[in-house]
Protein backbone atom coordinates (compact mmCIF):
# COMPACT_ATOMS: atom_id res chain seq x y z
CA UNK A 1 0.00 0.00 0.00
CA UNK A 2 1.42 3.38 -0.91
CA UNK A 3 1.03 6.47 1.15
CA UNK A 4 -0.14 9.54 -0.71
CA UNK A 5 1.40 12.86 0.34
CA UNK A 6 -0.46 16.00 -0.60
CA UNK A 7 1.42 18.84 -2.07
CA UNK A 8 0.08 22.38 -1.83
CA UNK A 9 -1.09 22.37 -5.42
CA UNK A 10 -2.67 18.92 -5.02
CA UNK A 11 -4.95 19.88 -2.15
CA UNK A 12 -8.59 20.28 -3.04
CA UNK A 13 -10.10 23.74 -2.92
CA UNK A 14 -12.10 23.90 0.35
CA UNK A 15 -13.27 27.51 0.14
CA UNK A 16 -16.90 26.45 -0.09
CA UNK A 17 -16.73 23.78 2.61
CA UNK A 18 -19.00 25.00 5.48
CA UNK A 19 -17.20 22.73 7.97
CA UNK A 20 -14.12 24.92 7.62
CA UNK A 21 -15.81 28.19 8.51
CA UNK A 22 -14.26 30.01 11.41
CA UNK A 23 -16.44 29.68 14.48
CA UNK A 24 -17.13 32.92 16.31
CA UNK A 25 -18.45 32.97 19.83
CA UNK A 26 -21.82 34.64 20.23
CA UNK A 27 -21.64 37.86 22.18
CA UNK A 28 -22.62 37.18 25.74
CA UNK A 29 -24.51 39.77 27.71
CA UNK A 30 -22.98 40.91 30.95
CA UNK A 31 -24.98 39.78 33.94
CA UNK A 32 -27.04 42.54 35.53
CA UNK A 33 -25.57 44.40 38.48
CA UNK A 34 -27.35 45.13 41.73
CA UNK A 35 -27.10 48.16 43.99
CA UNK A 36 -26.85 47.46 47.71
CA UNK A 37 -28.73 50.14 49.66
CA UNK A 38 -28.52 51.08 53.32
CA UNK A 39 -31.67 52.64 54.79
CA UNK A 40 -31.86 55.16 57.60
CA UNK A 41 -33.71 54.50 60.83
CA UNK A 42 -34.06 56.44 64.07
CA UNK A 43 -32.43 53.84 66.31
CA UNK A 44 -29.21 52.43 64.81
CA UNK A 45 -26.20 54.39 66.12
CA UNK A 46 -24.16 56.22 63.50
CA UNK A 47 -20.99 54.54 64.77
CA UNK A 48 -22.53 51.13 64.11
CA UNK A 49 -23.36 52.12 60.51
CA UNK A 50 -19.77 53.30 60.01
CA UNK A 51 -18.51 49.99 61.39
CA UNK A 52 -20.80 48.02 59.01
CA UNK A 53 -19.55 49.99 56.01
CA UNK A 54 -15.92 49.42 56.97
CA UNK A 55 -16.39 45.73 57.75
CA UNK A 56 -18.64 44.56 54.91
CA UNK A 57 -17.87 47.04 52.15
CA UNK A 58 -14.14 47.61 52.70
CA UNK A 59 -14.46 51.36 53.14
CA UNK A 60 -11.98 53.53 54.96
CA UNK A 61 -13.24 55.26 58.07
CA UNK A 62 -13.55 58.56 56.16
CA UNK A 63 -15.49 56.94 53.28
CA UNK A 64 -17.77 55.11 55.70
CA UNK A 65 -18.43 58.27 57.70
CA UNK A 66 -19.33 60.17 54.51
CA UNK A 67 -21.76 57.45 53.34
CA UNK A 68 -23.28 57.20 56.82
CA UNK A 69 -24.04 60.95 56.69
CA UNK A 70 -25.72 60.51 53.30
CA UNK A 71 -27.88 57.70 54.74
CA UNK A 72 -28.69 59.87 57.74
CA UNK A 73 -29.58 62.99 55.72
CA UNK A 74 -31.22 61.46 52.63
CA UNK A 75 -32.68 58.31 54.15
CA UNK A 76 -30.86 55.93 51.81
CA UNK A 77 -27.50 55.51 50.07
CA UNK A 78 -25.97 53.10 47.60
CA UNK A 79 -23.10 51.39 49.41
CA UNK A 80 -21.93 49.20 46.54
CA UNK A 81 -22.77 47.66 43.18
CA UNK A 82 -22.24 43.93 42.71
CA UNK A 83 -23.34 40.81 40.87
CA UNK A 84 -26.60 39.32 42.14
CA UNK A 85 -24.90 36.67 44.28
CA UNK A 86 -22.47 39.06 45.94
CA UNK A 87 -25.16 41.69 46.54
CA UNK A 88 -27.40 39.06 48.09
CA UNK A 89 -24.57 37.87 50.35
CA UNK A 90 -23.71 41.42 51.46
CA UNK A 91 -27.36 42.16 52.31
CA UNK A 92 -27.58 38.95 54.33
CA UNK A 93 -24.33 39.66 56.18
CA UNK A 94 -25.39 43.19 57.11
CA UNK A 95 -28.86 42.11 58.20
CA UNK A 96 -27.50 39.24 60.33
CA UNK A 97 -24.87 41.47 61.91
CA UNK A 98 -27.42 44.17 62.72
CA UNK A 99 -29.85 41.64 64.27
CA UNK A 100 -27.09 40.07 66.38
CA UNK A 101 -26.31 43.54 67.71
CA UNK A 102 -30.03 44.29 68.19
CA UNK A 103 -30.20 47.13 65.69
CA UNK A 104 -33.05 47.60 63.19
CA UNK A 105 -30.68 48.61 60.36
CA UNK A 106 -32.14 47.73 56.95
CA UNK A 107 -30.10 46.77 53.91
CA UNK A 108 -31.67 45.94 50.55
CA UNK A 109 -30.68 45.43 46.95
CA UNK A 110 -32.18 46.46 43.64
CA UNK A 111 -31.27 45.83 40.03
CA UNK A 112 -29.27 48.60 38.44
CA UNK A 113 -30.99 50.11 35.41
Amino acid sequence: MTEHKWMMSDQPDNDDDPSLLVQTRPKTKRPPLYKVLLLNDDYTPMEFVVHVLERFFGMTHAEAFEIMLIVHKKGVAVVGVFSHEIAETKVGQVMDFARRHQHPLQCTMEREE
Side-chain angles (χ1 to χ4, degrees):
M1 195 184 248
T2 61
E3 186 176 313
H4 181 70
K5 293 188 178 186
W6 288 94
M7 298 182 78
M8 291 278 287
S9 61
D10 291 343
Q11 291 182 356
D13 183 10
N14 289 324
D15 286 344
D16 297 325
D17 186 351
S19 67
L20 296 179
L21 291 176
V22 176
Q23 298 261 333
T24 57
R25 289 205 284 179
K27 292 197 180 211
T28 54
K29 286 172 58 176
R30 288 185 176 267
L33 294 176
Y34 290 79
K35 298 183 283 192
V36 175
L37 307 165
L38 217 50
L39 308 175
N40 188 45
D41 63 72
D42 294 331
Y43 304 100
T44 305
M46 292 179 175
E47 298 80 28
F48 184 79
V49 175
V50 170
H51 180 68
V52 163
L53 293 169
E54 291 170 339
R55 179 172 179 162
F56 297 106
F57 299 94
M59 295 183 188
T60 65
H61 187 76
E63 291 168 331
F65 191 82
E66 192 176 318
I67 296 293
M68 175 276 296
L69 286 177
I70 293 169
V71 172
H72 181 68
K73 291 176 183 175
K74 295 190 174 186
V76 64
V78 175
V79 296
V81 179
F82 308 96
S83 68
H84 185 271
E85 293 77 18
I86 293 174
E88 199 170 54
T89 299
K90 298 269 185 198
V91 168
Q93 289 173 329
V94 170
M95 296 296 287
D96 287 347
F97 191 70
R99 296 303 154 264
R100 280 187 278 129
H101 289 85
Q102 299 179 338
H103 295 300
L105 183 65
Q106 293 294 303
C107 186
T108 62
M109 62 188 263
E110 64 182 41
R111 188 174 174 152
E112 191 171 53
E113 297 299 323

